[in-house]
Each structure stands twice: as structure tokens, then as C-alpha cells.
């Protein structure tokens, strides 16, 4: 279990969610109806609509990005070096306290 | 005006297989798809990626699957209407009237929506004022390459379309290829050619850069690009081409009076009919408790929907369930029955 803080882009509203281990950052957002994560493909790394920016302090703690995810990120709205697809990040205890920033829009 | 037993919206694997299921029970189908080729997501998104969960096919590619399905429905001589989007659906006495973007009209008792996640549209640039330059300096496809002859062209993207057009247009125009990272995701071979052309001075590559702004009054005369550290560069250019892949939009389906749940269409699992009699939804676009977005589920959904179409198309004929292994009439339709 990890406490994840999702921050909306425009109003900077914070959503603190306890996400069980084994679920993804995307699951945590979708199941709690956090605005800003569309996740159209349902978590299969087949679209780029669960794009988030990971807090710098946690970027190196999460699983490394694979080339399929890099390829999909080409299609995201304004990706940067902290960009990830939230469906590809599986939660574990080490991610407790992680902050993810949501983009202005998904597509 | 085209009269048919069923209009199938979407030429992906599920749309193709339902043509087979309609065909073996003697129903004729017309297939409409917004893309310029047959195969849907299988062809557009992952033609070369192996698929491992098609029953009895341990491994095949999106392209291979499409080819085999086309072979399987060949006996039914289906008509494809590609590059055409269904714009409107309306009631026409006991039937449905289907109108396409090319102004074709179909009259049919049955519509089967096998539309995947909607229609594909090019993903666009996100910068300010970009709409006003669309098709006037800003493009998402190349219709005629001579439109770009002797011009300064900035191509954005890292996939096959971006690489292929950079190579092609570098022969007749002044090309700069811009991509947000140093690696290209297109074919390795194309990426090598692009790098070779850069060495020979035949095109320029700018990575890792993204578009920052488009400048110009009536037409594009410059753009600025930005890298990850916020460094901005200005480039004089006549045209900007964006190849960021395709985005899926539900499109006009949303206006056909069907119940919708998010971007999917609820159906019953008895025959995959929507809230409108004679309109069915199968494959990724339909939803019901337990729905799995798998190609194999779409095949099953199509088999059941096709039988329901039969009852609507031929209300006075009793439907008889038959196997392809033993039914003479099915084998005749398939063209495999030996003459006796």
C-alpha cells in the first residue's frame, strides 16, 4: 500500500489516494475518478491518455521506462523528462508518499 | 442508394468476421470504414506486432490476421467503402438509412457497429493558433508531394510516417526533421537513411525538440521549437507537417440516439443489440457486464449478432442452426460444395 498524491494541472487540487500494492498509478486515479486521467485503452500501454509527470524525487525509484512506453509517450500532450504512462507504474510500499502531476490534458 | 441485409461499420477484425457469420447464413453485407485500408487497429496500430491469443493460431501479426480474415470472407464478395465515415443514421419506415461522408446512402434493416474505439483522426499540434493554419501551411498528411516542392518543410514526429516523408521530401524540398527525443520509433532502416541523409547535408535533424509556437499572419513563416531545458530556437519555414499518430474519437456515432456509457455502447448479451432495434454493437465499442476487449470476444459477439440480424432481415423465414461441416447450403455459399 502506498499513499499517492495526484495534483491536477490547473487548480493544483490534491487528491491523496491509498493505492494497494500491485495496482497501477492509473488504477488509483481511474477507480477514484480523479479528473485528468482518461486511460482510454484500459491500461495496456496502447494509448497515451494516462500520461502523468512524476515528482523528481520519485522518478528514479519507479520501474524504468521501456521502449514501448517511450513510443507511446511520443503521442502524449507535452511530454517532458518526468513523463510516464501511469498504467505502467505498479505500486509497492517504496512508492509511499509519491506525488504525480497531471498534465493540462490527455489528448 | 444501396440496399443490403446489413451495414457493418468498421473493417477491423471483428467487422470482417461478422461478414463471415452473416454470409454463411445467407445475408449480404456492406462494410464502411473511415480509414483508407482494411484491418482497423490491427493494421493501423500494430501491423507487425505478434498477437498470441487468437484461438488455434499460436502467433500471428495484425497484418496476417487481417489477410486471413479477408481470405475467409472472400466467398461472400463483400463490398468495402473505405475512406468513408458514417455521418448519419435515421429511421426509414422499418429500416435504417445510413449516410456517409461521401454522400452514399444505404437502406438496411440491420446496422452492426464494429467501430473499435471510434474513428481515427490525426493527432494535432497543441500550439496556439494552429487551427487557422490547418491545410494552409500546417498539415497532418501529404496528399500531393509536389505541394511541398522547393519549400522549407519542418516535419515533426519519430514514427514511420515522419521518417518516410522526411526521406521522400528531402529529394524535392528543404527538410528539417524535429522529434522530441533522440531515438526514432520508426523502422530502424528508415532511421539509418535519415541519419545518412543528414550527414550528406540533404536534410537536418533537430532532437530532442518539440514545437513551441507557429508564427505568421496569413501564412506560416516561422516556428519556434523548444528542448527539455527550455532552450528555444526559431526556424524559418513555409510548411509544418505533424505525424503524431492517430487519435481515436467516437465521432458521429454519439449522435445516433444510442445509449452511451463513457465512449462505449451498452448492449444485451443475448444478441448484442443496442437500445435501438436493428442496431447492434460488437467488439471493443460495446460494453456489458464482464466485457473483455479481446478480438476473440468480438468474434463471439458477431456470431450472435448475425443470427439476430437474420430474424430482422428475413422475418418470414425460419432460422435453422447449421454447422459448416455438414450444411449443404452453407457449403454452397462458401463455394466449397463439389458439384454432384
Amino acid at each position: 500500500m502506498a499513499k499517492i498524491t495526484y495534483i491536477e494541472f490547473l487548480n493544483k487540487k490534491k487528491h491523496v489516494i491509498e493505492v494497494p500494492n500491485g495496482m497501477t498509478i492509473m488504477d488509483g486515479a481511474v477507480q477514484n475518478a480523479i479528473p485528468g486521467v482518461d486511460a482510454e485503452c484500459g491500461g495496456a500501454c496502447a494509448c497515451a491518455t494516462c500520461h502523468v509527470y512524476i515528482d523528481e524525487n520519485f522518478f528514479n525509484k519507479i520501474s524504468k521506462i521501456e521502449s514501448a512506453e517511450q513510443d507511446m509517450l511520443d503521442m502524449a500532450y507535452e511530454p517532458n523528462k518526468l513523463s510516464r504512462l501511469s498504467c505502467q507504474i505498479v505500486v509497492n510500499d517504496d512508492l509511499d508518499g509519491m506525488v504525480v502531476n497531471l498534465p493540462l490534458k490527455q489528448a | 442508394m444501396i440496399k443490403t441485409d446489413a451495414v457493418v461499420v468498421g473493417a477491423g477484425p471483428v467487422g470482417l468476421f461478422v461478414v463471415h457469420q452473416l454470409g454463411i447464413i445467407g445475408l449480404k453485407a456492406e462494410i464502411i470504414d473511415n480509414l483508407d485500408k482494411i484491418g482497423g487497429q490491427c493494421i493501423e496500430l500494430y501491423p507487425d506486432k505478434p498477437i498470441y491469443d487468437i484461438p488455434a493460431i499460436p502467433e500471428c501479426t495484425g497484418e496476417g490476421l487481417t489477410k486471413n480474415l479477408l481470405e475467409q470472407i472472400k466467398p461472400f464478395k463483400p463490398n468495402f467503402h473505405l475512406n468513408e465515415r458514417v455521418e448519419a443514421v435515421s429511421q426509414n419506415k422499418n429500416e435504417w438509412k445510413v449516410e456517409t461522408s461521401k454522400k452514399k446512402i444505404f437502406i438496411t434493416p440491420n446496422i452492426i457497429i464494429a467501430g473499435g474505439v471510434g474513428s481515427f483522426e490525426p493527432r494535432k499540434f497543441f500550439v496556439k493558433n494552429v487551427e487557422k493554419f490547418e491545410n494552409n501551411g500546417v498539415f497532418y498528411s501529404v496528399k500531393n508531394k509536389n505541394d511541398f516542392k522547393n519549400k522549407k518543410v519542418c516535419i515533426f514526429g519519430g514514427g514511420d510516417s515522419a521518417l518516410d516523408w522526411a526521406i521522400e521530401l528531402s529529394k524535392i524540398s528543404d527538410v528539417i526533421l524535429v522529434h522530441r527525443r533522440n531515438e526514432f520509433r520508426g523502422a530502424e532502416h528508415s532511421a539509418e537513411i535519415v541519419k545518412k541523409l543528414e550527414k550528406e547535408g540533404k536534410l537536418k535533424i533537430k532532437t530532442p525538440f518539440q514545437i513551441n509556437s507557429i508564427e505568421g499572419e496569413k501564412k506560416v513563416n516561422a516556428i519556434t521549437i523548444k528542448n527539455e531545458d527550455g532552450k528555444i530556437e526559431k526556424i524559418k519555414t513555409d510548411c509544418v507537417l505533424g505525424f503524431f499518430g492517430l487519435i481515436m474519437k467516437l465521432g458521429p456515432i454519439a449522435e445516433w440516439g444510442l445509449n452511451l456509457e463513457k465512449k462505449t455502447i451498452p448492449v444485451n448479451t443475448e444478441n448484442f443489440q443496442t437500445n435501438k432495434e436493428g442496431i447492434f454493437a460488437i467488439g471493443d465499442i460495446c460494453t456489458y457486464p464482464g466485457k473483455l476487449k479481446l478480438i476473440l470476444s468480438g468474434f463471439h459477439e458477431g456470431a450472435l449478432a448475425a443470427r439476430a440480424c437474420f430474424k430482422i432481415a428475413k422475418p418470414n423465414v425460419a432460422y435453422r442452426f447449421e454447422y459448416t461441416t455438414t450444411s449443404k447450403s452453407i457449403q454452397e455459399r462458401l463455394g466449397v460444395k463439389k458439384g454432384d
Side-chain angles (χ1 to χ4, degrees), chain A residues 17-97:
Chain A
I17 306 287
E18 286 192 350
V19 185
N21 289 354
M23 304 264 271
T24 65
I25 297 293
M26 179 212 84
D27 293 325
V30 170
Q31 290 178 8
N32 293 284
I34 294 170
V37 174
D38 295 347
E40 268 171 18
C41 80
C45 197
C47 72
T49 62
C50 69
H51 170 215
V52 297
Y53 306 111
I54 306 294
D55 183 81
E56 247 170 306
N57 300 320
F58 280 87
F59 196 80
N60 292 324
K61 287 192 187 170
I62 57 180
S63 55
K64 276 196 101 181
I65 191 161
E66 308 242 351
S67 73
E69 185 185 342
Q70 264 303 359
D71 288 353
M72 284 319 308
L73 272 173
D74 281 351
M75 322 227 165
Y77 172 75
E78 296 217 329
N80 67 23
K81 51 190 168 189
L82 297 173
S83 288
R84 290 295 304 263
L85 294 181
S86 57
C87 71
Q88 298 302 301
I89 305 167
V90 179
V91 168
N92 59 51
D93 290 340
D94 294 344
L95 301 190
D96 191 41

Side-chain angles (χ1 to χ4, degrees), chain B residues 37 77 83 196 210 238 240 242 256 307:
Chain B
K37 43 191 175 301
K77 301 185 184 71
N83 251 327
K196 186 170 149 263
Q210 296 184 63
D238 305 308
V240 190
W256 299 350
R307 270 66 185 186

Side-chain angles (χ1 to χ4, degrees), chain B residues 1 15 22 28 47 51 63 104 108 115 203 219 249 268-269 292 301 316 319 330 334:
Chain B
M1 194 185 75
L22 292 163
K28 181 85 186 130
I51 308 170
E63 193 177 11
K104 269 185 214 159
T108 179
L203 60 77
K219 59 186 195 73
K249 291 217 167 144
N268 71 59
T269 47
L292 270 182
E301 291 155 11
N316 303 320
Y319 167 73
I330 291 180
L334 286 167

Side-chain angles (χ1 to χ4, degrees), chain B residues 17-234:
Chain B
F17 190 66
V18 79
V19 170
H20 179 272
Q21 291 297 296
L22 292 163
I24 61 170
I25 56 177
L27 298 184
K28 181 85 186 130
E30 303 279 328
I31 308 164
I32 305 169
D33 198 298
N34 194 29
L35 287 175
D36 59 359
K37 43 191 175 301
I38 296 167
Q41 290 177 67
C42 280
I43 285 295
E44 200 53 52
L45 297 184
Y46 47 88
D48 312 318
K49 277 193 193 163
I51 308 170
Y52 300 101
D53 58 355
I54 306 295
I57 304 176
E59 181 182 340
C60 70
T61 61
E63 193 177 11
L65 183 72
T66 304
K67 245 188 189 162
N68 281 340
L69 283 163
L70 272 174
E71 184 63 33
Q72 199 168 15
I73 63 174
K74 217 172 173 184
F76 310 117
K77 301 185 184 71
N79 288 325
F80 287 94
H81 306 269
L82 299 175
N83 251 327
E84 249 174 284
R85 190 161 83 164
V86 176
E87 294 295 335
V89 167
S90 54
Q91 195 112 31
N92 184 52
K93 289 177 200 157
N94 289 329
E95 297 191 295
W96 294 103
K97 181 180 168 194
V98 175
E99 293 170 73
T100 74
S101 50
K102 285 192 184 158
K103 307 284 170 228
K104 269 185 214 159
I105 291 176
F106 298 83
I107 300 292
T108 179
N110 296 297
I111 299 170
I112 301 176
I113 305 170
V117 263
S119 59
F120 288 95
E121 289 169 27
R123 203 178 294 268
K124 301 191 170 174
F125 288 107
F126 286 114
V127 294
K128 247 198 210 158
N129 292 329
V130 67
E131 299 85 15
K132 79 170 185 188
F133 295 118
E134 201 168 318
N135 295 320
N136 177 29
V138 174
F139 304 90
Y140 299 101
S141 64
V142 175
K143 295 225 162 67
N144 179 357
K145 65 179 179 186
N146 289 321
D147 293 347
F148 300 92
K149 203 172 174 178
N150 300 325
K151 288 195 173 157
K152 291 194 180 86
V153 184
C154 282
I155 299 176
F156 284 81
D160 284 320
S161 306
L163 296 178
D164 292 348
W165 281 117
I167 294 166
E168 192 56 33
L169 291 179
S170 71
K171 296 170 191 161
I172 55 168
S173 16
D174 207 350
V175 171
I176 302 177
L177 178 62
V178 190
H179 184 42
R180 73 164 188 101
R181 56 191 168 112
N182 296 324
E183 301 80 35
F184 293 101
R185 69 174 188 283
E188 220 169 285
H189 176 67
S190 314
E192 278 163 20
I193 297 179
V194 163
K195 282 174 189 156
K196 186 170 149 263
L197 290 171
E198 186 196 26
K199 265 190 201 143
E200 294 167 357
K202 294 189 175 132
L203 60 77
K204 288 193 189 112
I205 298 176
K206 285 273 178 199
T207 56
F209 276 96
Q210 296 184 63
I211 195 153
N212 182 59
S213 70
I214 297 182
E215 297 176 6
E217 279 301 315
K218 288 208 171 112
K219 59 186 195 73
V220 176
N221 51 41
I223 57 168
T224 60
I225 55 175
K226 189 168 75 174
N227 74 2
E228 289 192 339
D229 304 319
K231 186 183 150 205
I232 291 179
E233 279 187 36
K234 187 168 177 165

